[in-house]
Amino acid sequence: MSKKKKKKYPNNPKYNQKQVQEEGAVKAKKHLGQHFLKEESVAQKIAQTLSLDGYQNVLEIGPGMGVLTKHLLQRDLDLVAMDLDDESIVYLNHSFPLEHAAILKQNNRLNVVEADFLKFDLTELYGEEQFAITGNFPYNISSQIVFKMLEMRHQIPEFSGMFQKEVAKRICEGPGNKTYGILSVLVQAYYDAEYLFTVPPGVFDPPPKVDSGVLRLTRKKELTLPCDERLFFKVVKTAFNQRRKTIRNSLKTFNLSDNLKEDAIFDQRPEQLSVADFVTLTQKIANDPV
């Protein structure tokens, strides 16, 4: 009877640390949505998407094996590399400094943090300081990353990085398109959104089954909307939850007055409304006497 082969990376943190330190290997994990970028030219282009205008703090989400990290460190910035994967953390703390000693000699302002971005309190890192976010984002949580970014928009002047192409396009889409939705409206209410370029599957390890897209969000000068912003978020989300219906039908749960529902804006579908239209709609709802 043949002996069973031992797993290369048994579920043992101490063993993983030793293995990673000896072999310099980080295995992409499907449950974390990891696809490691291996194309240097793409990483360099992403690193250049941030203007560093008025800030020096940058948070990289999901650094993996540091392909983007090393290009970011070649700019004049303070970098936090945050990852949930313990193998990536071991690699970044041990192998990465040895492999890229020359880069770190020029800029050693790197702080490696093992944490779940979605659960981590970023004020522990930045207090009230401004910071940008970038990264090759795990596809399975990319939309959630954007929603958390919006919650901290007063501290985040810029946001860039890699998404599944479909998600990146959706964020940057304008009204009148089927892919225009909740993310499009909420992001574009506070940021100018630019779809920068498409990235094919072959530049990743392992390659995903779809193309990827890189975008950049630049915060608008006016940080507040001329309406109740909590109500604005609720109106947008409720409207797009039934996007095939007219606004009159999708917002039935708001119990609006018959007089208000006669307004022409209620004859339209959510994908037809611009950010400014949603602001106007929110104002009308807030002033409804019912």
Side-chain angles (χ1 to χ4, degrees):
M1 184 181 292
S2 60
K3 294 181 180 180
K4 290 183 178 180
K5 290 184 179 180
K6 290 184 179 180
K7 289 184 179 179
K8 186 175 181 182
Y9 293 103
N11 189 23
N12 182 320
K14 290 184 180 179
Y15 184 92
N16 284 355
Q17 180 168 331
K18 181 181 177 183
Q19 193 84 13
V20 173
Q21 285 181 249
E22 290 177 352
E23 300 183 7
V26 180
K27 184 179 179 181
K29 298 163 189 64
K30 189 174 181 180
H31 73 280
L32 293 178
Q34 291 177 326
H35 296 278
F36 294 147
L37 181 64
K38 60 183 182 180
E39 178 60 51
E40 296 288 344
S41 62
V42 175
Q44 186 174 26
K45 285 173 72 174
I46 296 174
Q48 292 299 321
T49 58
L50 297 176
S51 70
L52 304 182
D53 184 13
Y55 65 90
Q56 281 192 309
N57 296 318
V58 175
L59 171 63
E60 181 190 359
I61 299 172
M65 291 186 69
V67 175
L68 174 57
T69 310
K70 66 186 176 188
H71 288 285
L72 288 167
L73 286 171
Q74 293 175 57
R75 304 194 65 192
D76 183 20
L77 51 77
D78 297 294
L79 183 64
V80 171
M82 181 177 290
D83 211 305
L84 182 60
D85 180 10
D86 60 344
E87 285 185 6
S88 290
I89 296 298
V90 170
Y91 172 82
L92 291 169
N93 279 324
H94 297 277
S95 300
F96 183 85
L98 297 175
E99 293 173 12
H100 305 292
I103 293 174
L104 287 168
K105 186 176 180 180
Q106 296 296 320
N107 181 1
N108 66 353
R109 291 174 287 164
L110 171 63
N111 179 17
V112 178
V113 176
E114 182 174 6
D116 181 343
F117 169 77
L118 297 179
K119 298 177 181 177
F120 189 79
D121 181 1
L122 293 173
T123 59
E124 291 184 19
L125 290 174
Y126 298 115
E128 297 182 1
E129 292 182 14
Q130 299 287 293
F131 64 97
I133 293 177
T134 194
N136 172 28
F137 304 121
Y139 291 165
N140 57 349
I141 61 166
S142 60
S143 295
Q144 294 167 272
I145 289 172
V146 175
F147 281 121
K148 181 166 180 178
M149 180 272 294
L150 286 171
E151 292 175 4
M152 299 194 70
R153 57 188 178 273
H154 292 85
Q155 286 185 251
I156 304 174
E158 281 189 313
F159 177 102
S160 71
M162 186 107 66
F163 290 80
Q164 183 176 327
K165 181 181 178 181
E166 178 186 331
V167 177
K169 284 283 190 181
R170 183 183 304 136
I171 291 170
C172 300
E173 194 58 81
N177 193 295
K178 289 183 180 179
T179 58
Y180 179 73
I182 294 172
L183 275 177
S184 319
V185 177
L186 297 184
V187 168
Q188 293 174 43
Y190 301 101
Y191 290 85
D192 293 320
E194 304 169 83
Y195 183 89
L196 299 178
F197 56 92
T198 300
V199 182
V203 303
F204 297 95
D205 182 25
K209 296 179 180 179
V210 295
D211 283 343
S212 301
V214 175
L215 58 72
R216 175 172 54 221
L217 308 178
T218 306
R219 191 176 60 198
K220 296 179 178 179
K221 290 183 180 179
E222 183 54 62
L223 273 175
T224 56
L225 302 179
C227 66
D228 181 327
E229 291 181 286
R230 284 189 179 181
L231 181 59
F232 174 80
F233 273 65
K234 184 178 179 182
V235 167
V236 172
K237 290 179 178 179
T238 305
F240 277 106
N241 281 339
Q242 300 184 71
R243 62 180 301 138
R244 294 184 180 181
K245 296 184 177 181
T246 63
I247 296 295
R248 182 178 295 107
N249 290 321
S250 62
L251 297 186
K252 273 186 176 180
T253 56
F254 282 69
N255 296 318
L256 303 172
S257 68
D258 291 337
N259 186 51
L260 177 57
K261 286 187 288 187
E262 290 304 311
D263 192 298
I265 198 170
F266 285 85
D267 294 327
Q268 299 188 72
R269 290 183 173 84
E271 66 190 45
Q272 296 174 289
L273 301 186
S274 66
V275 172
D277 291 332
F278 271 107
V279 169
T280 299
L281 177 61
T282 303
Q283 291 169 335
K284 290 176 183 290
I285 290 173
N287 293 325
D288 190 27
V290 171

